[in-house]
C-alpha cells in the first residue's frame, strides 16, 4: 500500500539496479506503489491525464536493462519492451518463489503458558510470527480457510 503523500510531493519512480530476486521483488512492490500514487494524482487533477508514468523499461538501469535483454532473455532490441521486461521479472520472481506452509515455517506454534494476561499471550505469538516472516523473507498471501470469512 502506498504511503499517504501530499499533492506537492514529487512522484518519484523506483529504479531497478540489480537483477537478484530480492531486489526485483522490492522494485516490483515500489513500482506498484508508484503507479498507485500516480493514478491518485491524476484523479486529483494534479497530474494531467495525458501524462503517463515511467515505464518499467525506463525505471531500469540502462546497463542492467541491456544485460537482462542480452544474456537473460536473449531477445533482439526491437522485441524488448516494458511488457516483455515486466513478464521476465515476474517470471523470475515466480520461479524463485516456493510454496510453503505455515506449519513448515512456524513449527508447532503454541502460547506461552507462563503468561497469564490473554492480550500478552496473543501479542507474543504475533510478535514471533512477524519475526519469523521477516527473517525468512516471506512475502505473499496465505489462503484463507476459515468458513466464516
Amino acid at each position: 500500500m502506498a504511503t499517504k503523500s501530499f499533492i506537492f510531493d514529487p512522484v518519484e519512480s523506483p529504479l531497478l539496479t540489480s537483477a537478484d530476486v530480492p531486489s526485483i521483488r522490492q522494485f516490483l512492490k515500489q513500482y506498484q506503489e508508484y503507479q498507485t500514487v500516480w493514478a491518485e494524482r491524476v484523479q486529483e487533477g494534479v497530474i494531467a491525464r495525458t501524462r503517463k508514468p515511467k515505464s518499467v523499461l525506463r525505471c531500469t538501469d540502462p546497463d542492467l536493462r541491456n544485460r537482462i535483454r542480452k544474456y537473460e532473455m536473449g531477445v533482439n532490441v526491437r522485441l524488448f519492451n516494458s511488457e516483455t521486461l515486466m513478464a521476465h521479472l515476474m517470471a523470475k520472481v515466480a520461479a524463485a518463489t516456493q510454496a510453503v506452509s505455515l506449519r513448515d515455517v512456524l513449527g508447532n506454534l503454541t502460547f506461552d503458558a507462563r503468561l497469564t494476561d490473554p492480550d500478552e499471550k496473543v501479542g507474543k505469538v504475533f510478535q514471533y510470527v512477524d519475526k519469523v516472516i521477516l527473517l525468512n523473507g516471506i512475502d505473499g498471501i496465505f489462503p484463507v480457510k476459515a468458513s466464516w470469512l
Side-chain angles (χ1 to χ4, degrees):
M1 176 191 268
T3 58
K4 189 65 178 161
S5 62
F6 297 101
I7 60 171
F8 50 81
D9 286 344
V11 181
E12 295 184 20
S13 60
L15 180 64
L16 181 62
T17 58
S18 180
D20 61 285
V21 173
S23 296
I24 293 171
R25 273 195 188 109
Q26 181 179 2
F27 168 78
L28 292 174
K29 182 179 179 183
Q30 290 171 342
Y31 188 75
Q32 184 175 5
E33 290 171 357
Y34 163 70
Q35 287 186 311
T36 300
V37 171
W38 187 278
E40 289 170 356
R41 297 289 176 82
V42 169
Q43 189 71 24
E44 294 164 351
V46 176
I47 297 176
R49 291 190 186 279
T50 56
R51 295 194 57 209
K52 301 292 179 208
K54 277 188 181 179
S55 66
V56 171
L57 207 59
R58 300 256 340 239
C59 291
T60 305
D61 175 76
D63 293 332
L64 176 62
R65 187 172 57 220
N66 286 331
R67 184 186 93 200
I68 291 171
R69 179 194 60 78
K70 188 174 183 179
Y71 298 111
E72 290 186 24
M73 296 175 66
V75 297
N76 187 299
V77 175
R78 288 177 276 136
L79 300 175
F80 188 66
N81 55 40
S82 282
E83 291 77 24
T84 58
L85 177 58
M86 178 62 97
H88 174 75
L89 295 176
M90 292 179 76
K92 193 169 179 176
V93 168
T97 302
Q98 297 176 344
V100 63
S101 74
L102 285 176
R103 187 170 311 284
D104 292 340
V105 176
L106 299 175
N108 229 356
L109 184 63
T110 58
F111 290 110
D112 187 344
R114 297 173 296 178
L115 300 173
T116 57
D117 180 22
D119 290 338
E120 184 64 13
K121 279 185 177 184
V122 172
K124 286 285 188 183
V125 169
F126 278 101
Q127 185 178 339
Y128 173 74
V129 170
D130 285 344
K131 184 177 180 179
V132 168
I133 287 172
L134 181 65
L135 291 175
N136 288 287
I138 298 171
D139 186 23
I141 299 170
F142 295 102
V144 176
K145 295 199 179 191
S147 61
W148 48 270
L149 290 177

